[in-house]
Amino acid sequence: MPQSNATTAPQIIDHFVAPKCKSNIDILYQDRDILLINKPSGLLSLSGKNPLNWDSVHYRLVNGQTAMEDNNQKTTPAFTEAKLPHRLDLGTSGIMVVGLNQEASKSLNKQFQMRAVQKRYIAMLSGWVSNDSGQISAPIAKDKALFPRVKICFDTGKSAISEYQVIQRLDNPARTLVQFTPITGRTHQLRIHSLEFGHPIIGCDLYNDSKLEHRLEPNNERQQVNQRLMLHASDLYFTHPTTGEAMHGRSPNPFT
C-alpha cells in the first residue's frame, strides 16, 4: 500500500480533571421556557471530553441535582430538554440563562449569536486601578503553543473591547473591585484584558497574578484573597423567548 505524505494536526488530549464541585446550582427564576441559575465557581458548564469530567451545569440540569453524595433525594428536578445558549469558564461563577424547550433554546441561541444579550461581570483585580472607568481595546488570538490560553496579537487577533467601572479600592493587599461590560465576547477576554492593562484578575491560573502573590503574606492572607478565580457574572439582559419581555437576570456580588 502506498504511503501518504499528508500530515495531520497533532491531537490535543485533555488530561485535565476538574476538582469535585460540592456547591449546588441555585435556581433564581423559572417558568415554562427558561431558567435563570447561579453557577458556582469550580463547576464546568458542559461535561468535558475526559470522561472523568462528567459533572457539569448541563449534566446536573438534565439529570437532576442532589445535595450530597450519600443522599439520592433530588434538590432540583430533571429538566430533560435543558440547553445552554452560553457558557461560563470553570472558575467563573454567576448568572446563566437556560432554555427548557427547543423553541426557547433556538431563540436564546439567536440572541447570543446576534450579540443582542448584554452581560456584566464583577471582578477583583490585583493592585489599584487608577482611572474610575475606562475601555480596554486589544485584539485576541489563540495561543497555539500554550493551549487553552489566548494572547494579545495585533497581527492575527480579532477585535476585542471591554469596558470597566471601578466599584471599590481595597487595602492589604491593594486590589480593586470593578464591574466589566464586555462589548465583544472572545474566549478569556476579561482575563487577558485585565492582564494587558496591568491588573490581572486575582486567582487566575491561566493569566498569572504573580505580582499579587509576592505582596501577600505566606498563609492566611493568600488563602483568603486567592482561593478562587475572582470573576463573577453578575447581570444578564435579554429578551424572553416566548413573551418578548425585556429580562434582567442578576446574581449578587459574592466578593463583599
Side-chain angles (χ1 to χ4, degrees):
M1 178 180 291
Q3 294 183 346
S4 172
N5 293 324
T7 59
T8 58
Q11 183 180 5
I12 297 174
I13 301 174
D14 185 4
H15 294 294
F16 171 76
V17 178
K20 181 174 178 58
C21 179
K22 298 180 180 179
S23 300
N24 281 349
I25 298 167
D26 295 323
I27 295 179
L28 305 177
Y29 171 84
Q30 177 182 349
D31 62 29
R32 294 177 60 183
D33 301 296
I34 66 170
L35 296 176
L36 289 174
I37 63 171
N38 187 40
K39 171 195 170 300
S41 175
L43 182 64
L44 294 165
S45 291
L46 296 174
S47 301
K49 293 181 179 180
N50 187 322
L52 295 176
N53 290 327
W54 56 268
D55 191 20
S56 66
V57 170
H58 185 253
Y59 180 90
R60 293 188 186 188
L61 290 174
V62 170
N63 293 281
Q65 183 176 226
T66 55
M68 296 183 297
E69 292 182 16
D70 57 350
N71 183 356
N72 290 324
Q73 184 177 358
K74 303 291 184 183
T75 59
T76 59
F79 301 98
T80 56
E81 294 188 54
K83 297 288 191 299
L84 303 184
H86 66 125
R87 307 177 192 180
L88 293 177
D89 289 343
L90 172 70
T92 306
S93 58
I95 191 79
M96 297 182 73
V97 62
V98 181
L100 293 182
N101 54 61
Q102 185 175 358
E103 288 303 313
S105 296
K106 182 178 179 181
S107 173
L108 291 170
N109 282 332
K110 185 175 181 180
Q111 290 184 55
F112 277 94
Q113 290 168 3
M114 299 296 291
R115 297 185 181 178
V117 178
Q118 185 180 29
K119 296 172 280 186
R120 288 180 180 162
Y121 293 79
I122 299 292
M124 189 72 77
L125 306 184
S126 171
W128 285 336
V129 176
S130 56
N131 295 330
D132 290 337
S133 63
Q135 186 181 89
I136 308 165
S137 179
I140 295 174
K142 292 181 180 179
D143 192 335
K144 295 180 180 179
L146 293 172
F147 176 84
R149 289 179 49 138
V150 298
K151 61 183 178 180
I152 302 299
C153 182
F154 289 88
D155 294 327
T156 63
K158 295 182 179 180
S159 173
I161 301 171
S162 306
E163 295 179 346
Y164 68 88
Q165 178 78 40
V166 169
I167 299 172
Q168 187 178 11
R169 294 179 179 89
L170 301 164
D171 294 308
N172 301 319
R175 58 203 192 279
T176 305
L177 186 67
V178 302
Q179 179 187 81
F180 274 123
T181 302
I183 306 304
T184 53
R186 309 300 179 199
T187 298
H188 296 173
Q189 176 174 315
L190 298 181
R191 297 205 212 187
I192 192 70
H193 273 180
S194 297
L195 181 66
E196 175 69 10
F197 92 130
H199 299 280
I201 298 174
I202 296 174
C204 183
D205 55 346
L206 291 176
Y207 306 97
N208 201 296
D209 53 1
S210 57
K211 292 181 182 179
L212 173 69
E213 287 288 325
H214 290 309
R215 291 201 297 268
L216 297 180
E217 293 299 323
N219 297 315
N220 291 340
E221 199 172 70
R222 180 180 286 112
Q223 184 176 1
Q224 291 171 4
V225 173
N226 206 15
Q227 59 187 343
R228 57 156 286 189
L229 173 66
M230 301 193 77
L231 178 63
H232 179 77
S234 59
D235 297 86
L236 201 60
Y237 298 85
F238 63 99
T239 300
H240 193 283
T242 303
T243 67
E245 179 184 359
M247 301 289 291
H248 175 200
R250 187 172 188 278
S251 176
N253 174 16
F255 305 140
T256 57

